[in-house]
Amino acid sequence: MGVVLNRLLQAIRFDRDAFVWMDFNDRATGDALIIVAITQVLFLFAGGTSLFGLVTGLFSVLSALLSTVMFWLIYSGLVYAVAVYLFRGSGHYAVYLRIAGFAFPTLLLTIATTRIFGAGLIGTLVGSLWFLLVVAYGTHYVSDLPLDRSIVAAVLGWAGWIVVSTILGGFSLF
């Protein structure tokens, strides 16, 4: 687990070595899933759920975890599709999953920004900026695209998630 935490810290510091490791390590996808799940549990704690509440409200916890995993899968797919099919970049979907998974803990910043700017769009966007930049930097490495196009791919993935989640019946990110 020490290697995973080290790679997580490298990813949120925009260290290229983390993205090289994600590109060549197939097991990193499972690590990314664990990071996404742990981050969601931390969001639940921040939302006022107690440890006892996690056990007694198992259905709501599983629902929140499923919603988060769906975001992770769909968002990664959208960034992959934009980078590869729209901008003619390269890479494999699994690597984009790893990048978004290892970037996911940066979304914890939204806890602070929504308290400062309100729980609306501005607070969420400001809190999500670090996440988008980590995904963009990882996309830049994986897809061989210029950084500006990688940023656009990350943002279009976010916008696509909003559209898809609205179509699927609700905007439940956290």
Side-chain angles (χ1 to χ4, degrees):
M1 194 67 171
V3 172
V4 174
L5 291 176
N6 185 37
R7 297 302 181 182
L8 173 63
L9 291 174
Q10 287 177 331
I12 63 176
R13 289 187 321 229
F14 306 102
D15 189 349
R16 186 176 182 275
D17 289 344
F19 302 108
V20 171
W21 176 79
M22 287 179 218
D23 194 9
F24 293 106
N25 188 352
D26 292 340
R27 293 180 6 174
T29 307
D31 297 334
L33 175 62
I34 292 168
I35 289 170
V36 168
I38 289 171
T39 304
Q40 180 56 38
V41 169
L42 292 174
F43 271 116
L44 291 173
F45 284 142
T49 304
S50 66
L51 188 58
F52 182 71
L54 287 179
V55 176
T56 59
L58 189 59
F59 180 74
S60 61
V61 170
L62 290 177
S63 175
L65 287 172
L66 180 61
S67 173
T68 302
V69 169
M70 290 302 297
F71 164 76
W72 176 56
L73 293 171
I74 293 171
Y75 175 75
S76 300
L78 290 169
V79 173
Y80 167 75
V82 170
V84 171
Y85 297 111
L86 184 64
F87 292 140
R88 305 278 185 219
S90 59
H92 299 283
Y93 173 63
V95 181
Y96 288 86
L97 275 173
R98 296 173 202 145
I99 292 168
F102 275 79
F104 205 78
T106 60
L107 287 173
L108 289 170
L109 185 60
T110 59
I111 295 167
T113 59
T114 54
R115 304 241 183 214
I116 295 169
F117 297 108
L121 183 63
I122 298 296
T124 303
L125 285 177
V126 170
S128 304
L129 188 59
W130 193 5
F131 171 78
L132 292 172
L133 289 175
V134 172
V135 171
Y137 190 78
T139 300
H140 169 66
Y141 165 74
V142 170
S143 65
D144 294 327
L145 290 174
L147 188 57
D148 59 342
R149 286 189 180 191
S150 298
I151 291 171
V152 171
V155 171
L156 285 178
W158 191 268
W161 163 251
I162 292 171
V163 170
V164 168
S165 66
T166 302
I167 290 170
L168 293 178
F171 186 72
S172 175
L173 182 56
F174 306 110

